[in-house]
Amino acid sequence: MPQSLTVTAVSAPVRDKAFDLIATLVDSLAAAEVRLQDGDVLAISSKYASIASGRTVSLTEIEPGERAQALAKRYQMDAAVAQLVLDEAEHIFGGIELGFLLTAKGGVISPNAGLDRSNIPSGQVVLLPLKPFAAAERIRQALQSRLRCRIGVILSDSWLMPGRYGTTGIAIAVAGFQPIRDERGKADLFGNPMAVTQIGLADSLAACAQVVMGERNEATPFALIRGAEVELSDAALSAADVSIPWRHCIYVESLTLGLVPAPAR
């Protein structure tokens, strides 16, 4: 019988200051009459988790340095935002003159180190969660203890696919299940061995969740994913479990060190 996957958005109160995320989660699930079962995956907006832990900053409190001011001038961006990107990003690749820098942070390549100015009072910025994999694990353990079930947790966000319009979901962090399904060495429909395919299960589920959670004024920062048949695990996870080394990344390598020389004219 074909596998059935269901994804259900769960509403929660709008927040703009630190709050008790676990209590809010439990109350929101109860209000929605949703009961977690063994094998479920709960997607949680990384922004909502960040707000819960106080990871918000007022731009008026940021003093841009010389480098931030230079970046702001070159890429037509707010100098305070440029300074926050410098503070938060692990690497800056470059940018575009629409106010965005392409950065790497926590194994994710995204604009402006994941800083978010939407769904927060004007002048405020939400930063990505601090140590997101540890945060996801703490949430998983707390929910399992209170609700008596074995689940997986995803801290989800949205990002831009290279060369494509529109945002899609991505797993900033994962806890409780194996985020990659390795198909290498297995046979395809014609018996050919798969050579490189590894399914990004956590990212795929985050994309499903993003469809129902929305990104504007839906106020649904949680999504229950049921039927994914994930491989539950208590193993500690980190960005290294989902992030490919840059030398093997076709986007990073091809667009930096791997440039093909232009033909002579």
Side-chain angles (χ1 to χ4, degrees):
M1 179 179 293
Q3 181 178 337
S4 177
L5 179 73
T6 62
V7 186
T8 305
V10 178
S11 299
V14 175
R15 308 285 195 185
D16 61 17
K17 294 179 176 61
F19 63 97
D20 188 330
L21 179 60
I22 300 302
T24 300
L25 259 168
V26 172
D27 291 345
S28 298
L29 290 169
E33 298 183 345
V34 171
R35 185 178 180 85
L36 295 182
Q37 301 176 5
D38 288 351
D40 285 348
V41 175
L42 187 64
I44 302 168
S45 162
S46 64
K47 181 193 297 183
Y48 203 68
S50 285
I51 295 172
S53 63
R55 291 277 288 166
T56 57
V57 177
S58 173
L59 290 176
T60 60
E61 299 175 356
I62 305 301
E63 295 186 10
E66 290 185 7
R67 188 182 177 198
Q69 293 174 1
L71 286 171
K73 182 178 181 180
R74 178 174 180 180
Y75 295 111
Q76 300 179 18
M77 62 192 303
D78 186 301
V81 171
Q83 183 61 57
L84 280 174
V85 173
L86 286 171
D87 294 341
E88 290 290 312
E90 295 166 2
H91 183 80
I92 298 176
F93 294 96
I96 57 174
E97 294 180 358
L98 293 173
F100 295 99
L101 298 170
L102 184 65
T103 62
K105 180 179 175 64
V108 177
I109 295 175
S110 66
N112 290 354
L115 305 184
D116 201 327
R117 301 172 69 177
S118 63
N119 288 317
I120 196 74
S122 180
Q124 300 283 312
V125 175
V126 183
L127 311 178
L128 285 177
L130 192 64
K131 298 181 179 179
F133 281 85
E137 178 61 18
R138 286 195 300 271
I139 293 168
R140 181 183 78 96
Q141 290 188 11
L143 289 175
Q144 289 187 155
S145 177
R146 291 186 63 166
L147 302 178
R148 304 299 180 187
C149 57
R150 288 195 72 209
I151 62 169
V153 168
I154 293 172
L155 292 184
S156 67
D157 205 341
S158 58
W159 78 310
L160 298 169
M161 292 285 290
R164 304 287 289 188
Y165 280 121
T167 60
T168 186
I170 186 171
I172 297 295
V174 188
F177 70 97
Q178 292 300 322
I180 303 295
R181 183 175 292 163
D182 195 346
E183 302 291 349
R184 292 174 298 179
K186 299 177 183 178
D188 66 10
L189 289 171
F190 294 91
N192 304 306
M194 304 291 282
V196 297
T197 300
Q198 299 181 70
I199 298 173
L201 186 57
D203 287 335
S204 297
L205 295 177
C208 292
Q210 203 71 24
V211 172
V212 302
M213 292 164 72
E215 295 194 50
R216 193 169 60 86
N217 63 354
E218 295 83 358
T220 48
F222 312 131
L224 170 65
I225 304 168
R226 180 164 291 165
E229 295 188 0
V230 296
E231 181 184 342
L232 294 176
S233 171
D234 292 323
L237 299 173
S238 70
D241 292 294
V242 294
S243 303
I244 189 171
W246 287 355
R247 68 183 183 278
H248 295 156
C249 176
I250 192 169
Y251 296 114
V252 174
E253 181 71 7
S254 297
L255 297 176
T256 54
L257 300 178
L259 288 174
V260 176
R265 291 177 181 260

